[in-house]
Amino acid sequence: MKKFIETIKNIWSIEDLRNRILTTLLLVLIYRVGSYIALPGIDANALSNFEKNSNQGILGLFNMFAGGSFSRASIFALGIMPYISASIAIQLLTIAVPYFQKLQKEGESGRKKINQYTRILTVVVTGFQASAYVAYLRNQSGGAIIPEYGTFFFWLSTTIVLTAGTLFVMWLGEKITDKGIGNGTSIIIMMGILARLPQALIAEFYSKVAGAGGPILFLIELAVFILITVGLILLVQGTRKIPVNYAKRIVGNKQYGGVRQFIPLKVNAAGVMPIIFAQAIMFIPATLIGFATSSESASGFIRIFSDHTNGWYNLIYAVLVIVFTYFYTALIFNPTQMADEMKRNNGFIPGVKPGKSTADYIGAVMDRITLPGAFFLALVGILPGVAAAFKVNSNFATFFGGTSLLIMVGVILDTLQQIESQLLMRHYDGLMSTGRIKGRTAPANA
């Protein structure tokens, strides 16, 4: 405890770090306040049924990323998701389209152009999603739209406000990244998820006190939750280090190279994306069937996709997570590029020939470590359904794994890593007396 208090004092004594933390908290507070401001033309008191419907299926996932703004029909209802969708699309283009590949290799100027394209695409995506959200409001809000607002005027004003809200949230994320601490976009998503945790804990406590099990069962659930969190930390931080030697070079009177470094390959290089992709696929059948029939009347194959506690549902879901883990890792991980850069810098892996042999070796190592990572990620993905099957409150069950907990653990570790780096740069002790906190950085190229 004394060590912890001393670390807090060290953090507060560094003016730049203190200002960054305060700036981050202020910008997050602005975002959370904005998430409770209802759209013009919406009666917030008449949204009870709309909030209930918006917490189910794929809309529940969307609402979670928006920090509850989606179900409250707020000015930030679409949250940061359009920007994330645009970023993923641009990222895929940098893999498939030569023009974007060229931009990616142009350094700072190329990065600025890619960011500009991402913002433009964000506006387009937000416009489409805002129009769809207006249609959803009309069908599901149950009279929450004030009648005095005309159909066209409500659509126009809501689309403009939602687009402006998403761009403002995007700007907040960029400011947190530049002026604050951590990755702004990730922190905004995490704070929206974290805001739901106290309410979920309280609801679970009262349900256990009022029902069977009592406080003892609630404490057991907390212990399991902590163990799962520890396991996720191991998954996020797990790496396989490949040694790389660099040949000696003499330039003038200086010697370069002649040292050994390591390429850290992450066990879970794909992060949370496989779970998001798998959830989206699993929600499609239930969403399509939902237009024709209710979940109560569904049966057989349809029923499987409507009940996330079903064994077949979890088996299919786990297989999809494993498949998407390999798929997304293959998209973002390029062993050939790593081998080429090592060769240009006179680096080599001991016992492996430079060039294609090095690329094959790195790819083989990545395939081997991705397998256990994919299985563990699949287990994490199905844990909320398993928890719900054991009568855990649905709100609290979402924190037993899946997207919620994985994002929270990854973002917190990444932020703590940046704080520790600031402390170590100024010759203070880090946040931990042994070891170092490793964030979600991509494998370093030699």
Side-chain angles (χ1 to χ4, degrees), residues 120-423:
I120 294 173
L121 185 57
T122 300
V123 174
V124 176
V125 172
T126 307
F128 280 109
Q129 291 188 359
S131 298
Y133 186 68
V134 172
Y136 181 70
L137 273 173
R138 292 191 181 282
N139 293 330
Q140 302 291 336
S141 61
I145 300 175
I146 299 174
E148 286 75 12
Y149 274 72
T151 302
F152 175 76
F153 180 73
F154 179 75
W155 169 81
L156 181 63
S157 63
T158 302
T159 301
I160 293 174
V161 170
L162 288 176
T163 303
T166 293
L167 294 178
F168 182 71
V169 173
M170 180 185 71
W171 178 83
L172 287 178
E174 291 178 350
K175 286 301 176 185
I176 291 174
T177 303
D178 294 339
K179 306 293 184 182
I181 194 81
N183 182 282
T185 302
S186 300
I187 286 179
I188 285 176
I189 294 174
M190 183 200 70
M191 294 307 297
I193 297 172
L194 198 60
R196 299 165 54 242
L197 181 58
Q199 183 180 359
L201 276 172
I202 293 172
E204 179 65 14
F205 175 76
Y206 281 118
S207 67
K208 287 297 178 286
V209 170
I216 299 298
L217 183 57
F218 177 72
L219 292 176
I220 293 174
E221 290 177 358
L222 283 182
V224 173
F225 174 71
I226 292 172
L227 287 175
I228 294 172
T229 304
V230 172
L232 268 180
I233 292 173
L234 295 176
L235 175 66
V236 171
Q237 291 196 296
T239 57
R240 162 75 156 83
K241 293 182 178 180
I242 296 180
V244 179
N245 292 341
Y246 287 91
K248 293 181 180 180
R249 291 182 300 159
I250 299 177
V251 180
N253 295 324
K254 293 185 179 180
Q255 176 179 304
Y256 297 92
V259 296
R260 168 171 284 197
Q261 296 182 358
F262 295 91
I263 303 175
L265 302 182
K266 297 188 74 63
V267 174
N268 179 32
V272 74
M273 294 308 298
I275 290 182
I276 295 176
F277 287 155
Q279 281 180 329
I281 295 296
M282 295 297 288
F283 282 141
I284 289 174
T287 303
L288 293 177
I289 294 302
F291 288 110
T293 181
S294 64
S295 60
E296 288 79 7
S297 61
S299 61
F301 182 77
I302 299 171
R303 183 70 177 175
I304 291 175
F305 292 93
S306 303
D307 182 12
H308 70 288
T309 63
N310 185 284
W312 284 107
Y313 175 97
N314 287 309
L315 178 60
I316 297 171
Y317 182 33
V319 171
L320 285 175
V321 170
I322 294 172
V323 171
F324 279 121
T325 299
Y326 273 96
F327 172 74
Y328 196 75
T329 301
L331 282 180
I332 65 174
F333 185 76
N334 190 344
T336 302
Q337 182 181 356
M338 295 177 66
D340 290 342
E341 291 186 5
M342 286 172 53
K343 189 175 181 179
R344 282 197 297 269
N345 290 287
N346 295 320
F348 62 94
I349 299 173
V352 181
K353 293 180 179 180
K356 187 177 183 301
S357 298
T358 297
D360 292 341
Y361 177 80
I362 295 175
V365 172
M366 194 66 192
D367 288 341
R368 286 199 297 268
I369 65 174
T370 299
L371 182 61
F375 274 95
F376 194 87
L377 195 62
L379 176 62
V380 169
I382 66 174
L383 279 177
V386 175
F390 279 93
K391 308 302 181 185
V392 177
N393 182 280
S394 59
N395 290 329
F396 187 48
T398 58
F399 288 94
F400 269 78
T403 315
S404 302
L405 191 59
L406 189 57
I407 289 176
M408 285 171 51
V409 169
V411 175
I412 290 173
L413 286 174
D414 190 34
T415 306
L416 290 178
Q417 182 203 27
Q418 293 198 26
I419 294 175
E420 182 170 84
S421 299
Q422 294 274 349
L423 289 172

Side-chain angles (χ1 to χ4, degrees), residues 62 78-87 118 121-122 125-126 129 166:
F62 203 103
L78 300 182
I80 198 72
M81 284 303 291
Y83 175 68
I84 294 175
S85 301
S87 299
T118 303
L121 185 57
T122 300
V125 172
T126 307
Q129 291 188 359
T166 293

